[in-house]
Structures are given as structure tokens and as C-alpha cells.
Amino acid sequence: MSLRRVEAREAGPGALGILLPPGPRTVLILRPRRVPWDLLLVRSGVGGDAGTPFLHLEPEEGQAMAEGILRALQRWAAGGPGKVDAAYAADGAGYWVQAEVGAFPLVACERRPGQPYRPAAFASAAEAEGAAAAIGAALCPPPETGLEVYLNTRHFGRDQGPGGRPPDP
């Protein structure tokens, strides 16, 4: 599979966005347009705000992470490390979908305009496994299919929702 970097305004309905909302501390978001979930980079140890599993980044660090995750996606497409799995929710309430793109851990979150991100909770393992399969196919489609990828690290409007949620370009 080949990844083709495009401008956000040129990206089609199957594109994958790597988004970095503005702010002094922000989160890194993967937005596969094919599915109703975004994936947010999660912390492992330090770096998140209290009450959230998400890794909060300084703008310069976020830019470097966005480029790094793009390279990790390219390696995954070429047969490198990457996976999406259902897992027991950390809070014990059902199941979450977690992804690893190279060394980058992510968790699936529902897109809820105007609401802060929270990990998507699935009632059953089968439901989470179905979501994981759909997300996996959106992040790393079959080899005969190309994937458009766009980075949006600077071009957000002033009308951000709570939590700095970016609009879907």
C-alpha cells in the first residue's frame, strides 16, 4: 500500500488526517474519515493532564510527533509494526479500541462535536473487535489500495469547540 500525502482540502472521504489543534498544550489526533472515531495519542507514564489518558504536547513537540507518526504509518504500510485491538477498558466499563502505530500508542474516541474527547466505550468484546477491524482497515488498507494522508497542524478556525476540538476539514 502506498501513502500519498495531500493537502487537507484535496483529501477524499477515505483520507487519514493527522491533526494538531492549536494551543499551548495540545493533543495529537488521527482522523480516519472512513470511520466515526478519532484516535488520540495516549500517555505512557507522564505527560497527560489529570483525569485523561491523552498525551498533552507543547506545539513544537506535537509537530515532531505528527511527522513521526506519519513515518510510522509509512513503515506499517510497508510491513512494519502496527496493530489495532480491542481491550478491556482501563476504567472497567466495557471495552476500548487501542492502536499501536510503530511506537505510538493511541485510543479510539467518538467524534462528538462540542464535547471533550473520551475513549469510546463498547459494551461487548465483539462490538469492540468490529470497530478495531474497521479502524485497522482505515489506517492500513490492503496493499492494492492507496491511502491519502494529510497533516493539519496550523490551519484551524477560531471557532473551536470545547477542548480545542478541530473541525473536520
Side-chain angles (χ1 to χ4, degrees):
M1 175 198 57
S2 65
L3 268 62
R4 185 169 63 93
R5 194 162 168 181
V6 298
E7 293 296 319
R9 67 183 172 278
E10 298 168 0
L16 172 64
I18 301 173
L19 314 175
L20 194 67
R25 293 191 40 87
T26 189
V27 293
L28 185 121
I29 303 163
L30 289 186
R31 176 165 288 169
R33 289 182 175 178
R34 289 184 193 270
V35 297
W37 303 281
D38 286 343
L39 291 102
L40 273 69
L41 191 61
V42 294
R43 60 185 164 147
S44 52
V46 298
D49 287 347
T52 175
F54 309 126
L55 181 63
H56 289 79
L57 307 162
E58 303 291 326
E60 298 79 24
E61 183 183 22
Q63 182 70 38
M65 290 275 202
E67 293 290 340
I69 207 158
L70 176 60
R71 288 189 299 277
L73 284 162
Q74 291 167 331
R75 286 191 295 274
W76 186 11
K83 65 180 183 173
V84 182
D85 294 312
Y88 289 110
D91 63 5
Y95 298 85
W96 288 358
V97 172
Q98 299 174 329
E100 290 179 18
V101 178
F104 296 95
L106 302 121
V107 66
C109 299
E110 288 184 51
R111 288 188 202 129
R112 300 177 127 183
Q115 299 295 316
Y117 280 108
R118 292 184 330 195
F122 298 91
S124 70
E127 187 182 1
E129 289 165 359
I135 291 168
L139 295 179
C140 191
E144 62 275 3
T145 306
L147 179 63
E148 295 178 329
V149 179
Y150 64 94
L151 269 68
N152 191 349
T153 59
R154 294 189 180 107
H155 307 289
F156 290 92
R158 292 180 174 263
D159 57 337
Q160 299 293 309
R165 288 182 58 105
D168 193 20

